[in-house]
Amino acid sequence: MLIDFDQPINRINSNSIKWDAMEKLYGVSPKDGLAMWVADMDFKAPEAVNLCIKNMSEHGIHGYFGDDSGYKTALRSWMSKKHNWEIEDSWSAETHGLGAAIGISLRAYSEPGDEVIIFSPVYHSFARIIKANNRKVKEAKLQIENGIYKFDLDNLGKSLSGNEKIMLFCSPHNPGGRIWKKNELEDLVTFCEAHNLVLLCDEIHADLTYPNFKHNTLLAAVPSAKNRAVVMVSTTKPFNLSGGEMGSVIIPDPDLRNKFDLAHEATGKMPNRIGMKMAEAAYLYGEEWLFQLVNYLEKNKFCFEQGIKSIKGFESMPLQSTYLAWINFEKTGLSPTEFYRLLFKEAKIAANIGSSFGSGGEMYVRINFACRKAIVEDAIERLQNTFS
Ligand SMILES: Cc1ncc(COP(=O)(O)O)c(C=O)c1O
């Protein structure tokens, strides 16, 4: 069945942070503005997911969730089929999203005051969660080589204080959509071994890779990292289920797993019934939907990148995954303040401010094109009219 991603769906007044908080956050009204910020898509979830919620509603009892074996089987076969990674059911635990999984991991593997390495610019909540847990953010600024991000471990090695306990890594990278190569992952693991760091690998965007690219899941690419790695995966980004706040941590090492479990217990550790059921249905029946989604997104990406090229001073980082365009506006000569005034007030586009992703993000904007193609075209026209 062909999925109609061009179907207009009104999200205003649907408790959508993307549409219902944009005016408060960016001063852009949803009435005449475009919501192109948070990583949330304007598409309906796969039919099988919606059917599963319908069945739950018909049953009508929404008590505590028990028996995660169906979900674990679905996760195991997805990892095997899509990522060539054979996992065991006992390795994984389910959390209320990956933001929560990061917080639990920080408490499991470090103490207040310890430092946590992140490669900036990176998903803004990494720094927020680290600071909220009274740990210190250590930014390792990414370099740009041939237009895409690279990490610089030599420089990072020289700058270590000795208080670093964890490396929190984003793979594929958000923003910029970089898929890390096997040899890069090997270098990273060698670095973590040399400095005795736990490697938290956030792979939430792993299933949103474009047809010519293949995500390398950490422990299939570098099995020797299994004694220091915590891999985090989720259905919420690829299948647009973010409000279901659900994700999995996969930890092959028993000692690391035990530490995680203790910190997890300290948060109450109960699965979210709706998130669990949605995720299970997505892994079991969502493959074809995802295939069609990625093809649709690829066309949006092409249209958006072509449009961006037509605007003097704009440069879009070539995306290997994700629907989050990462655009450098430095060559427009505009200051960030002036750029964002024009973006919000004139173009009326709500998009993520680059500096919120940390060092290196100051002259960028992140624009989410996971919406109808007609909206992507409208956005390009607005950008051309405002900035050309
Ligand atoms: C890299 C990354 N990790 C985690 C999250 C948030 O995950 P969750 O909604 O499961 O807390 C996001 C959301 O955009 C993300 O981009």
Side-chain angles (χ1 to χ4, degrees):
M1 198 183 77
L2 202 62
I3 318 285
D4 182 11
F5 292 106
D6 290 309
Q7 186 192 1
I9 303 170
N10 178 23
R11 297 188 69 189
I12 302 171
N13 292 332
S14 70
N15 297 94
S16 154
I17 191 171
K18 189 178 181 186
W19 287 90
D20 294 329
M22 65 190 266
E23 185 148 24
K24 189 167 164 218
L25 294 173
Y26 297 101
V28 180
S29 165
K31 290 193 191 102
D32 57 356
L34 301 179
M36 303 186 87
W37 61 292
V38 59
D40 168 315
M41 306 190 275
D42 290 335
F43 306 125
K44 274 194 188 179
E47 188 54 31
V49 173
N50 291 329
L51 190 63
C52 143
I53 294 178
K54 190 163 168 255
N55 290 341
M56 288 169 77
S57 152
E58 278 168 9
H59 186 254
I61 302 179
H62 309 292
Y64 287 120
F65 183 80
D67 187 8
D68 58 5
S69 59
Y71 169 76
K72 283 197 192 290
T73 304
L75 171 71
R76 177 162 36 81
S77 65
W78 185 268
M79 287 302 147
S80 171
K81 187 170 173 194
K82 305 297 280 188
H83 300 291
N84 296 321
W85 187 27
E86 305 306 325
I87 61 170
E88 290 177 19
D89 290 355
S90 63
W91 293 355
S92 62
E94 297 86 38
T95 62
H96 296 178
L98 295 195
I102 292 167
I104 295 168
S105 304
L106 295 176
R107 290 166 187 224
Y109 308 121
S110 67
E111 297 295 328
D114 286 345
E115 293 183 56
V116 179
I117 300 168
I118 57 175
F119 291 94
S120 71
V122 71
Y123 173 52
H124 39 75
S125 290
F126 280 8
R128 180 176 60 82
I129 299 169
I130 294 168
K131 287 180 197 158
N133 277 287
N134 298 318
R135 274 69 171 166
K136 290 189 187 138
V137 174
K138 179 166 190 80
E139 282 189 336
K141 198 169 151 189
L142 290 166
Q143 309 296 308
I144 296 180
E145 237 178 76
N146 300 324
I148 56 172
Y149 282 131
K150 292 263 175 185
F151 41 75
D152 179 353
L153 295 177
D154 288 342
N155 246 332
L156 176 61
K158 285 180 204 143
S159 72
L160 295 184
S161 68
N163 294 326
E164 299 82 2
K165 296 288 171 352
I166 294 175
M167 176 181 278
L168 173 53
F169 185 59
C170 192
S171 174
H173 199 76
N174 168 23
R178 177 73 215 282
I179 291 179
W180 304 105
K181 292 196 172 131
K182 183 171 158 40
N183 67 308
E184 292 173 305
L185 296 174
E186 282 165 351
D187 291 348
L188 206 69
V189 169
T190 307
F191 185 91
C192 289
E193 277 163 4
H195 301 284
N196 199 20
L197 301 169
V198 174
L199 179 53
L200 303 183
C201 192
D202 177 339
E203 301 194 1
I204 200 166
H205 295 280
D207 291 308
L208 284 169
T209 57
Y210 288 105
N212 292 334
F213 297 94
K214 174 106 185 68
H215 167 71
N216 290 306
T217 190
L218 177 73
L219 289 176
V222 195
S224 64
K226 69 176 187 305
N227 298 334
R228 60 181 62 254
V230 172
V231 178
M232 303 180 229
V233 299
S234 180
T235 52
T236 58
K237 289 295 148 194
F239 296 102
N240 207 26
L241 313 175
S242 298
E245 282 298 346
M246 194 293 191
S248 286
V249 289
I250 308 176
I251 314 175
D253 182 79
D255 184 42
L256 288 179
R257 199 160 63 233
N258 192 35
K259 286 186 173 142
F260 184 90
D261 195 49
L262 287 173
H264 198 185
E265 283 286 358
T267 71
K269 192 190 169 187
M270 273 305 285
N272 167 347
R273 166 180 286 277
I274 299 172
M276 292 292 296
K277 293 306 289 177
M278 289 202 292
E280 182 182 336
Y283 278 145
L284 287 179
Y285 311 113
E287 192 178 354
E288 171 60 25
W289 182 94
L290 183 60
F291 174 76
Q292 292 192 36
L293 171 83
V294 171
N295 283 332
Y296 188 90
L297 289 177
E298 198 186 26
K299 292 192 191 109
N300 275 6
K301 176 167 89 81
F302 181 76
C303 167
F304 198 74
E305 282 173 352
Q306 291 303 107
I308 291 299
K309 267 191 205 144
S310 72
I311 304 170
K312 202 162 161 252
F314 277 31
E315 274 171 51
S316 192
M317 194 170 269
L319 293 182
Q320 302 175 344
S321 70
T322 83
Y323 46 75
L324 305 164
W326 186 234
I327 296 158
N328 186 306
F329 58 82
E330 196 163 1
K331 292 191 182 140
T332 60
L334 296 167
S335 68
T337 311
E338 183 60 4
F339 173 83
Y340 284 107
R341 192 192 65 76
L342 290 168
L343 185 72
F344 301 152
K345 298 271 174 269
E346 303 286 327
K348 298 189 174 153
I349 294 177
N352 287 92
I353 298 174
S355 58
S356 67
F357 296 83
S359 302
E362 299 81 358
M363 299 309 284
Y364 286 81
V365 56
R366 197 189 74 172
I367 303 188
N368 174 347
F369 57 73
C371 53
R372 290 185 293 124
K373 183 147 179 278
I375 302 290
V376 174
E377 287 163 353
D378 183 357
I380 287 296
E381 209 178 304
R382 288 171 187 236
L383 292 171
Q384 284 167 337
N385 291 340
T386 307
F387 293 100
S388 294

